[in-house]
Amino acid sequence: MRQDRNGRPPAEWCATPNAMRLNRLVRMSRRDVLLGGLGLSVAGLLSPARADTQAPAEKDSEVGRFMAVSQRLTDRTVLDSRIGTALYAGIVHANPDRAAKVQALYTLLEDSKPATAADFARAAEHADPALKDVIHEILTGWYRGVADNKVVVYRSALMFDITKDAIYPKTYAAGGPFYWTSKPPEVDRPTGSPALSPSPFVIEPT
């Protein structure tokens, strides 16, 4: 291949500045791909050995039980496991005995197979009145996104999911000018009665 001007091929020194920059980027991309592939190959060789030395963490089974209880209490078949892991960690950190309470709820769930969240909550409080507080904490975590007095998740909290057709999360105005003056869509009035017994009314600081 003929080379001139400092040993570079004509395709480079005869090209426009933009073409020359593109050629350099292409060469860099090829180098990055080769180095990245080498890194992945090394990681692939090392990861099986590391995986063999790691036994399944007990936390995984605890979070699994927490997720099963949460799905029944929220009457949902799908919940984000990443949020659930963070909520469970916060709930247990605030009160370590909650791990045993979640286990008790899971055992009750498996034994009684309740059809609805209300049935599950009633059965739990009847079995042990102390479980009512744990149920409150679990539902507060999922619907408000708060555990251990800390915000775990905001926009993905379930309180926004059930009102997403009418109310935006309070971060910014997602509508047009004066969107709040429009009449919101009609919402069916809730029916039924509370599943748990009344709890003291607590006014939280704002």
Side-chain angles (χ1 to χ4, degrees):
M1 181 177 182
R2 186 172 63 87
Q3 295 182 343
D4 297 295
R5 190 166 297 185
N6 299 326
R8 291 183 301 163
E12 289 191 12
W13 60 267
C14 292
T16 64
N18 286 336
M20 293 172 66
R21 283 193 292 271
L22 180 61
N23 286 334
R24 285 196 297 270
L25 289 174
V26 169
R27 287 199 302 274
M28 291 176 63
S29 299
R30 290 172 179 167
R31 182 189 62 188
D32 293 341
V33 168
L34 290 174
L35 291 176
L38 178 62
L40 289 174
S41 299
V42 173
L45 292 174
L46 295 178
S47 58
R50 185 170 61 249
D52 290 341
T53 62
Q54 292 177 341
E58 181 64 24
K59 283 291 184 183
D60 292 341
S61 59
E62 292 179 12
V63 172
R65 291 192 289 268
F66 176 78
M67 292 298 296
V69 169
S70 297
Q71 288 173 352
R72 182 68 288 170
L73 287 175
T74 58
D75 276 336
R76 291 170 180 261
T77 57
V78 177
L79 290 171
D80 192 320
S81 60
R82 296 168 300 176
I83 298 175
T85 300
L87 290 175
Y88 180 75
I91 291 172
V92 173
H93 180 267
N95 198 334
D97 79 340
R98 294 315 194 218
K101 300 295 185 185
V102 170
Q103 173 63 54
L105 285 171
Y106 179 77
T107 301
L108 179 63
L109 176 65
E110 290 295 296
D111 292 343
S112 61
K113 304 292 184 184
T116 66
D119 293 339
F120 184 32
R122 292 191 189 97
E125 186 177 13
H126 183 266
D128 182 357
L131 293 177
K132 183 177 75 169
D133 293 336
V134 188
I135 292 173
H136 281 165
E137 292 172 5
I138 294 173
L139 292 177
T140 296
W142 283 106
Y143 281 91
R144 294 183 56 198
V146 176
D148 193 17
N149 295 318
K150 297 179 179 66
V151 176
V152 173
V153 65
Y154 181 70
R155 193 175 182 86
S156 297
L158 296 185
M159 64 178 176
F160 294 126
D161 185 68
I162 60 178
T163 59
K164 61 187 177 182
D165 62 331
I167 301 175
Y168 296 110
K170 295 182 292 183
T171 53
Y172 53 86
F178 303 104
Y179 76 93
W180 58 87
T181 60
S182 301
K183 184 179 179 180
E186 295 292 334
V187 178
D188 295 336
R189 182 180 296 275
T191 59
S193 58
L196 297 172
S197 61
S199 298
F201 180 69
V202 178
I203 300 178
E204 298 180 354
T206 57

